Amino acid sequence: MIDGLGYFGVALEVAFVAAMLLRGRWKKYFGLFLYALAFLSLDAIVRLAVRYSYGPASVQYYYVYWFTDVALTLGAFLLVCAFFRRAFATKKDWWSPVRTSLISVFVLVTLISCLSILRNYHHLFSAFTTEFSQNLYFACLVLITVLYVMLQQTDRADDELSLLVSGLGIEFAGPAAGMALYYLTPGWHDVLLPVLIMQLCNLGMFATWLYAVTRTEEKVSARSLPTFRPVRVFAEAPAHGAR
């Protein structure tokens, strides 16, 4: 079942990239297009190639999975920043403090994750990569939630941007829910249930994105970008051998 969802997810990823190219949406959301292209390349090509060459329980697949996971996590954070930049396109005086807040969040997450090296110096790679990915995913989940709430406070909502932000929020909810289940259900430590949830969240993200770029183009084009009300801003992964 998990493999079937994985292949269906690959089909959705391909469909979304193709839709952005055919409709010219990649020009408007270039950061989103690059992230989707990287996701497709790393998840559907690199990981699958190593998995079928060496097996899902191999050391090679383990390292490739976590290297690509860190890369995709960093890409997701940059995509969150791009969405914030897009939302504040007409409020340039707001972008400077928001940008500073985003940079501060990234630095804080990195410092907290580096502490794991001191506690687990015998397992530097696994300790740092897993904790860094989890911490950054959680930070992205909080940031994307804040952005979605702010978008709902605008006088003129950008439906397309709201859908794209919602889709990314679905993806971030996957690792958080998966890790919660991993610790709350010790009998499921074969990662069956957490991976299933993450696969469904991945499908939800690309399905939402595909709908956004294929169904709301006319509505969005007739609206302007958000004008914000004066609101003050700011102040898990599969186990070894799982896909």
Side-chain angles (χ1 to χ4, degrees):
M1 180 179 180
I2 291 178
D3 285 340
L5 289 175
Y7 292 131
F8 185 52
V10 171
L12 273 179
E13 293 164 20
V14 173
F16 175 70
V17 171
M20 291 201 79
L21 286 172
L22 294 175
R23 290 176 171 265
R25 310 304 288 165
W26 66 274
K27 298 177 182 178
K28 181 179 180 180
Y29 295 105
F30 187 63
L32 174 62
F33 176 72
L34 287 181
Y35 176 76
L37 201 59
F39 197 104
L40 176 62
S41 301
L42 295 178
D43 186 59
I45 298 177
V46 175
R47 286 177 177 174
L48 281 181
V50 175
R51 176 172 177 162
Y52 283 109
S53 297
Y54 299 97
S58 64
V59 175
Q60 292 87 345
Y61 180 72
Y62 175 74
Y63 281 104
V64 166
Y65 179 89
W66 283 110
F67 272 125
T68 55
D69 186 72
V70 171
L72 290 175
T73 302
L74 290 171
F77 180 80
L78 292 176
L79 181 58
V80 171
C81 295
F83 281 159
F84 268 98
R85 184 69 183 92
R86 181 75 189 178
F88 285 93
T90 58
K91 286 288 183 180
K92 299 186 183 300
D93 55 326
W94 285 75
W95 172 238
S96 181
V98 170
R99 179 178 57 191
T100 301
S101 298
L102 292 171
I103 294 174
S104 300
V105 168
F106 181 79
V107 172
L108 181 61
V109 167
T110 303
L111 290 176
I112 293 175
S113 301
C114 285
L115 293 178
S116 65
I117 296 179
L118 300 177
R119 300 195 305 267
N120 302 280
Y121 57 90
H122 293 298
H123 305 281
L124 296 184
F125 176 80
S126 59
F128 179 76
T129 54
T130 55
E131 187 159 342
F132 177 74
S133 295
Q134 291 169 16
N135 292 342
L136 192 56
Y137 255 104
F138 179 76
C140 288
L141 177 60
V142 174
L143 290 173
I144 209 69
T145 302
V146 171
L147 178 58
Y148 180 81
V149 171
M150 293 182 65
L151 287 174
Q152 305 315 303
Q153 301 299 316
T154 60
D155 294 325
R156 297 181 182 180
D158 185 340
D159 292 338
E160 187 176 54
L161 182 59
S162 294
L163 281 171
L164 295 175
V165 169
S166 299
L168 192 57
I170 295 173
E171 173 71 5
F172 290 143
M179 289 306 299
L181 283 171
Y182 182 82
Y183 290 114
L184 292 174
T185 57
W188 291 81
H189 274 193
D190 288 335
V191 212
L192 185 61
L193 191 57
V195 170
L196 178 61
I197 290 177
M198 286 188 283
Q199 290 280 18
L200 291 174
C201 288
N202 180 57
L203 291 176
M205 178 181 71
F206 277 100
T208 303
W209 283 357
L210 185 61
Y211 173 80
V213 299
T214 58
R215 300 293 183 181
T216 63
E217 186 171 352
E218 291 185 3
K219 291 182 180 180
V220 173
S221 63
R223 297 176 181 222
S224 61
L225 287 172
T227 301
F228 284 89
R229 297 173 182 171
V231 178
R232 189 175 290 276
V233 182
F234 304 117
E236 285 270 32
H240 183 173
R243 181 174 182 273

